[in-house]
């Protein structure tokens, strides 16, 4: 008996995530893309799509792909050896290309048109790689009330939408279970997006955009990422209580780091209100949405990139006890990989190799932990070995 072949569309935003390790707070816009090119591209999206397809190798004869030219999908499927058909082949004749990587300078409009064409053709599931902006473009393309089943591979800097797997492997697992149709349902999940210009000026302006239909499992939050829970979802009294707990956490940290006598500590503090309360008490408010570095109580670098962090670690890491301080993203439970991306696998390796697992300090209020549906934290650093190294039980302050 012939196997049933699942028709899958693959749409890749190859520029997703380019701004993360550069501390650019996103990847939208020609100016940000040019900055990333000038600094030397780190093609995280390419690596993540490859990881996703690697998981699907045992199911090659059960999958038939529709995709788009070059790095919008064709490049990855061809390298992975899958059967596929390329739509809109003539697009590549109109694109300009980045000189070093050979990537087309594709746009949000290309993603929207690709999604629109897939909606008109019809597939069993539309898989897309990107961040919140990409999810929004997919929604625009297929239509806000479409019943098209979709699934995201997380590749962006900011991923607040609940339409992505927790990592590329989790997205693949969801697709495989959808393929097997065992224990998988279809449900509407939120697409959210942030105003990146406001984010770069220190303001979080996230809003609900629409819903996408995605495959979900009974224990969906083990694979599917939840929407980010922000402070706007708390009542005024709850917000005031959270702020008090932030200050108590900060006071404890100030006492803990202040007790270090041998040498001034080198402190790398990630983004968020919880960490900012510590920064403010320790010596400088620094940035709400960036990664900041202190040597003792002195702020030595504000809103740093991965490159700057690595340089600082080369200078100070051997002689100053180093700690990385991060908070848990509300609703999602993500610790690393969504927002404080300058704290990269390379940065983590330098710190953990020298100072051990206790050098990673994780902060969260009780209310934030209680709001995580499956009571599990996760990391998605972009490096599977680092993700494994950080797995297991961990104390949360």
């Amino acid at each position: 008996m012939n196997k049933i072949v699942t028709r899958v569309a693959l749409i890749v935003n190859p520029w997703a995530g380019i701004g993360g390790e550069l501390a650019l707070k996103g990847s939208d816009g020609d100016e940000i893309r040019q900055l990333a090119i000038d600094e030397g591209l780190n093609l995280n999206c390419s690596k993540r799509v490859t990881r996703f397809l690697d998981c699907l190798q045992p199911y090659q004869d059960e999958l038939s792909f529709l995709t788009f030219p070059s790095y919008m999908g064709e490049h990855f499927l061809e390298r992975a050896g899958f059967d596929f058909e390329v739509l809109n082949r003539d697009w590549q004749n109109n694109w300009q290309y980045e000189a070093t990587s050979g990537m087309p300078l594709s746009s949000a409009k290309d993603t929207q048109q690709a999604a629109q064409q897939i909606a008109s053709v019809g597939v069993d599931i539309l898989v897309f790689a990107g961040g919140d902006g990409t999810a929004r473009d997919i929604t625009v393309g297929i239509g806000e009330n479409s019943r098209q089943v979709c699934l995201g591979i997380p590749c962006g800097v900011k991923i607040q939408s609940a339409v992505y797997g927790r990592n590329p492997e989790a997205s693949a697992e969801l697709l495989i279970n959808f393929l097997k149709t065992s224990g998988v349902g279809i449900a509407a999940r939120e697409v959210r997006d942030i105003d990146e210009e406001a984010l770069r000026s220190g303001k979080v302006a996230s809003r609900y955009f629409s819903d996408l239909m995605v495959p979900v499992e009974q224990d969906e939050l083990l694979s599917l990422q939840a929407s980010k829970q922000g402070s706007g979802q708390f009542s005024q009294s709850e917000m005031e209580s959270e702020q008090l707990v932030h200050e108590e956490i900060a006071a404890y940290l100030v006492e803990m780091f202040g007790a270090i006598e041998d040498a001034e500590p080198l402190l790398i503090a990630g983004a968020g209100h919880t960490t900012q309360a510590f920064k403010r008490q320790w010596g400088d408010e620094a940035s709400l949405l960036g990664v900041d570095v202190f040597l003792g109580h002195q702020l030595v670098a504000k809103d740093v990139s991965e490159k700057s962090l690595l340089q600082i670690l080369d200078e100070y890491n051997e002689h100053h006890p180093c700690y990385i301080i991060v908070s848990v993203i509300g609703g999602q439970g993500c610790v690393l990989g969504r927002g404080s991306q300058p704290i990269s696998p390379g940065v983590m390796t330098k710190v953990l190799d020298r100072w051990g697992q206790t050098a990673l300090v994780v902060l969260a209020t009780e209310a934030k932990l209680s709001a995580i549906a499956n009571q599990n934290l996760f990391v998605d650093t972009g490096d599977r070995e680092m993700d494994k190294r950080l797995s297991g039980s961990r104390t949360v302050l």
Side-chain angles (χ1 to χ4, degrees), residues 264-275:
E264 291 181 311
L266 181 69
L267 305 177
I268 299 169
H273 287 95
T274 317
T275 50

Side-chain angles (χ1 to χ4, degrees), residues 14-296:
W15 296 95
I18 56 170
E21 292 171 357
L22 299 174
L24 297 177
K25 312 294 187 295
S27 307
D28 296 347
D30 293 340
E31 182 181 353
I32 296 301
R33 183 159 57 187
Q34 189 57 54
L35 279 171
I37 290 170
D38 293 343
E39 289 291 328
L41 285 172
N42 189 349
L43 304 180
N44 285 327
C45 186
S46 294
K47 298 171 188 175
R48 286 172 172 266
V49 174
T50 299
R51 285 167 54 185
F52 171 81
L53 292 175
D54 284 347
C55 296
L56 301 182
Q57 290 293 343
Y59 303 92
Q60 282 205 19
D61 58 347
E62 300 176 51
L63 298 168
S64 174
F65 283 91
L66 287 178
T67 194
F68 294 85
S70 185
Y71 279 78
M72 281 195 73
E74 175 188 18
H75 170 80
F76 305 102
L77 290 168
E78 186 174 52
R79 289 200 317 180
F82 285 90
D83 290 331
F84 62 91
E85 176 187 346
V86 177
L87 303 178
N88 293 1
R89 170 68 75 183
D90 59 334
W91 281 3
Q92 61 187 1
N93 299 325
N94 301 320
W95 281 330
Q96 292 183 313
Y97 292 83
E98 195 277 315
T100 303
S101 66
M103 286 205 312
L105 301 179
S106 53
S107 66
K109 185 177 180 181
D110 292 319
T111 302
Q112 294 170 11
Q113 290 180 345
Q116 184 177 30
Q117 184 160 357
I118 291 300
S120 66
V121 171
V123 292
D124 296 308
I125 186 167
L126 190 168
V127 176
F128 58 94
D132 286 331
T134 309
R136 188 182 63 189
D137 292 334
I138 294 293
T139 305
V140 170
I142 66 174
E144 290 191 17
N145 297 314
S146 174
R147 303 297 293 177
Q148 172 65 59
V149 180
C150 300
L151 176 63
I153 306 168
C155 300
V157 176
K158 49 182 178 38
I159 306 180
Q160 302 201 354
S161 303
V163 297
Y164 288 94
R166 287 186 154 201
N167 53 41
E169 290 75 20
S171 295
E173 181 182 349
L174 282 163
L175 178 58
I176 291 165
N177 290 339
F178 175 80
L179 181 72
K180 295 176 179 178
T181 64
S182 59
V184 175
I186 305 298
R189 291 294 181 262
E190 284 188 337
V191 173
R192 304 189 67 85
D193 201 10
I194 281 181
D195 181 335
E196 288 190 6
E197 287 301 318
L199 190 65
R200 292 182 189 110
S201 64
K203 299 175 183 177
V204 182
S206 172
R207 71 179 183 94
Y208 165 79
F209 186 78
S210 185
D211 288 329
L212 283 178
M213 304 303 294
V214 298
V216 296
E217 300 172 295
Q218 202 166 32
D219 59 348
E220 64 176 86
L221 289 176
L222 291 177
S223 298
L224 194 68
Q225 175 178 287
S227 294
K228 181 187 184 297
Q229 182 187 51
S231 58
Q233 293 167 270
F234 289 108
S235 67
Q236 183 63 33
S237 62
E238 287 172 330
M239 285 181 64
E240 290 172 357
S241 176
E242 283 288 282
Q243 289 164 5
L244 285 172
V245 179
H246 290 164
E247 296 303 324
E248 289 182 355
I249 290 172
Y252 181 92
L253 281 178
V254 168
E255 184 177 348
M256 182 178 83
F257 293 133
I260 297 174
E261 296 179 351
D262 294 340
E264 291 181 311
L266 181 69
L267 305 177
I268 299 169
H273 287 95
T274 317
T275 50
Q276 194 187 39
F278 162 71
K279 297 173 189 179
R280 184 169 54 248
Q281 286 198 32
W282 184 248
D284 193 303
E285 190 172 63
S287 59
L288 170 63
L289 301 171
V291 177
D292 305 313
V293 185
F294 293 83
L295 182 62

